[in-house]
Amino acid sequence: MMEPAVSLAVCALLFLLWVRVKGLEFVLIHQRWVFVCLFLLPLSLIFDIYYYVRAWVVFKLSSAPRLHEQRVRDIQKQVREWKEQGSKTFMCTGRPGWLTVSLRVGKYKKTHKNIMINLMDILEVDTKKQIVRVEPLVTMGQVTALLTSIGWTLPVLPELDDLTVGGLIMGTGIESSSHKYGLFQHICTAYELVLADGSFVRCTPLNSIGNYYKPWFFKHVENYLKTNREGLEYIPLRHYYHRHTRSIFWELQDIIPFGNNPIFRYLFGWMVPPKISLLKLTQGETLRKLYEQHHVVQDMLVPMKCLQQALHTFQNDIHVYPIWLCPFILPSQPGLVHPKGNEAELYIDIGAYGEPRVKHFEARSCMRQLEKFVRSVHGFQMLYADCYMNREEFWEMFDGSLYHKLREKLGCQDAFPEVYDKICKAARH
């Protein structure tokens, strides 16, 4: 038992003598393996075991999500205190320079205000949305240990275990999969930031325009046009599909003029829009007639080649803005609506919803003039809207050959009213 201990003591003594002769600096630089093998490898093992066990326990107990908000508030508090103290120096994170993977040790840490950031946990794995929510000091080792255990990974996962999410976002992260997915920051869907005034913001390219407190979509677009600027935004798919729902396109501004005011949106926007069916139910006959005389809701389908002419006609006859423009392919198929020729043709829907601004607007005469133009370019009127054409004009616009043939063949003539009698004002009055 004594011999191994004596041998170890002799080796240690010889090592110390060698260090004494060569000098500690020489050994650390030219024989670094000695220090690494004897000290750093065991210390690294202890370090890794501690953080692995800590991360495992935190995730299993689900304590990180509960503590996250408090940790963020603590950071906000530090920033606000720095501001109250006069903002005399720059701020930086309080993480020691030796903990980073970079070989550089920044001297600024000694002169700047250190903000302590205790954010090193995985908060949530959402397999349905395919998103993992992490704090900035989470390492790639933590990410792979958890995700691979449940059958998932990241599109870009840089190799070294100790690389942190925050470091890869700020200092760039790359991997062999980057030829397909880009750099590490390009796979991030959102960032949560504490700003220099201590406020907290969540940043995404995904503008959730459908949220009740957001500006109406057409006003949001209008703001881009007024300021003559360009921008790229990503809108959640469902929000995009229903982007005009909250403002009923732009109709709601005539009903609730202050509806897009931020105060109204935040307090009452969650109730918007009112049901169109209830608006109709409660308007009464007098209001309906007034609305009919001072309001336009029309969609006209015209060939794309006639767009410029159509816009001038809309401007002169009703002058309603904004207008809805939606191109579509009109196939050459039998039915009420088809192109003039035998091939599919590009058409465009021009939608006018709102209060006409032409002088001396009179609904019947102005709309009949507009309908005449649409017929002249082989266009069509959407049949949900008020139609002022007589029967002959209606069937000049729409091809009724197949429609009448089927009505006769299927015995519909004595069973159901003709479409003209259901929608046209000339027939109803």
Side-chain angles (χ1 to χ4, degrees), residues 283-306:
Q283 67 182 1
E285 186 63 19
T286 303
L287 183 58
R288 186 191 65 77
K289 288 182 178 179
L290 284 171
Y291 201 70
E292 186 179 285
Q293 287 299 320
H294 301 282
H295 202 84
V296 168
V297 179
Q298 290 286 344
D299 279 90
M300 299 293 187
L301 314 178
V302 300
M304 180 64 84
K305 61 189 177 186
C306 303

Side-chain angles (χ1 to χ4, degrees), residues 233-399:
E233 292 184 348
Y234 296 89
I235 300 174
L237 186 59
R238 190 167 187 270
H239 289 209
Y240 175 77
Y241 286 149
H242 301 286
R243 60 195 181 279
H244 292 299
T245 296
R246 290 189 301 124
S247 55
I248 316 179
F249 284 86
W250 28 92
E251 288 273 57
L252 200 58
Q253 67 178 349
D254 293 332
I255 301 171
I256 308 177
F258 47 84
N260 193 49
N261 184 283
I263 297 175
F264 181 87
R265 291 201 312 265
Y266 276 89
L267 293 179
F268 306 108
W270 53 275
M271 293 190 290
V272 167
K275 288 289 184 184
I276 296 176
S277 55
L278 296 179
L279 287 172
K280 289 171 62 179
L281 177 66
T282 56
Q283 67 182 1
E285 186 63 19
T286 303
L287 183 58
R288 186 191 65 77
K289 288 182 178 179
L290 284 171
Y291 201 70
E292 186 179 285
Q293 287 299 320
H294 301 282
H295 202 84
V296 168
V297 179
Q298 290 286 344
D299 279 90
M300 299 293 187
L301 314 178
V302 300
M304 180 64 84
K305 61 189 177 186
C306 303
L307 176 59
Q308 185 173 1
Q309 186 183 359
L311 291 177
H312 282 300
T313 303
F314 271 73
Q315 162 82 9
N316 295 332
D317 290 349
I318 57 176
H319 197 166
V320 172
Y321 288 98
I323 56 174
W324 165 260
L325 298 176
C326 186
F328 67 99
I329 287 292
L330 184 60
S332 180
Q333 296 176 354
L336 291 174
V337 176
H338 60 76
K340 195 171 186 178
N342 296 322
E343 295 182 355
E345 186 175 346
L346 184 62
Y347 269 61
I348 187 165
D349 170 23
I350 304 178
Y353 327 117
E355 184 179 341
R357 288 177 171 79
V358 292
K359 291 182 178 180
H360 312 299
F361 174 79
E362 199 280 318
R364 187 177 185 280
S365 61
C366 290
M367 289 313 305
R368 278 188 57 77
Q369 197 167 321
L370 191 59
E371 289 167 345
K372 181 180 179 181
F373 164 77
V374 173
R375 289 198 307 273
S376 72
V377 296
H378 196 71
F380 309 93
Q381 183 178 27
M382 281 197 182
L383 299 184
Y384 78 87
D386 284 335
C387 176
Y388 292 85
M389 293 180 284
N390 60 37
R391 195 177 301 270
E392 182 182 351
E393 292 167 338
F394 182 85
W395 291 118
E396 179 188 338
M397 177 180 284
F398 297 98
D399 181 1

Side-chain angles (χ1 to χ4, degrees), residues 80-196:
R80 288 178 181 132
E81 287 176 350
W82 165 83
K83 194 172 180 64
E84 290 169 0
Q85 291 167 5
S87 312
K88 297 176 182 178
T89 62
F90 291 127
M91 289 184 289
C92 66
T93 64
R95 191 183 188 214
W98 58 267
L99 273 175
T100 66
V101 173
S102 170
L103 296 179
R104 181 183 66 250
V105 179
K107 294 182 179 179
Y108 62 88
K109 296 276 187 180
K110 297 179 180 178
T111 57
H112 293 180
K113 169 66 175 178
N114 281 215
I115 305 297
M116 302 310 297
I117 299 177
N118 182 28
L119 299 172
M120 57 181 68
D121 294 311
I122 297 175
L123 302 176
E124 178 187 8
V125 177
D126 189 331
T127 55
K128 187 176 180 181
K129 293 182 179 179
Q130 299 183 10
I131 289 175
V132 56
R133 185 166 171 249
V134 301
E135 293 178 329
L137 298 183
V138 166
T139 66
M140 293 299 99
Q142 286 175 262
V143 170
T144 53
L146 176 61
L147 292 186
T148 55
S149 69
I150 57 176
W152 290 90
T153 189
L154 298 183
V156 178
L157 210 151
E159 295 194 22
L160 298 181
D161 282 12
D162 290 340
L163 292 171
T164 64
V165 170
L168 291 169
I169 291 169
M170 302 303 292
T172 305
I174 193 169
E175 190 41 76
S176 54
S177 58
S178 290
H179 73 281
K180 184 174 181 180
Y181 298 104
L183 301 175
F184 188 83
Q185 66 263 33
H186 298 139
I187 66 169
C188 298
T189 60
Y191 302 104
E192 294 179 350
L193 304 175
V194 174
L195 302 183

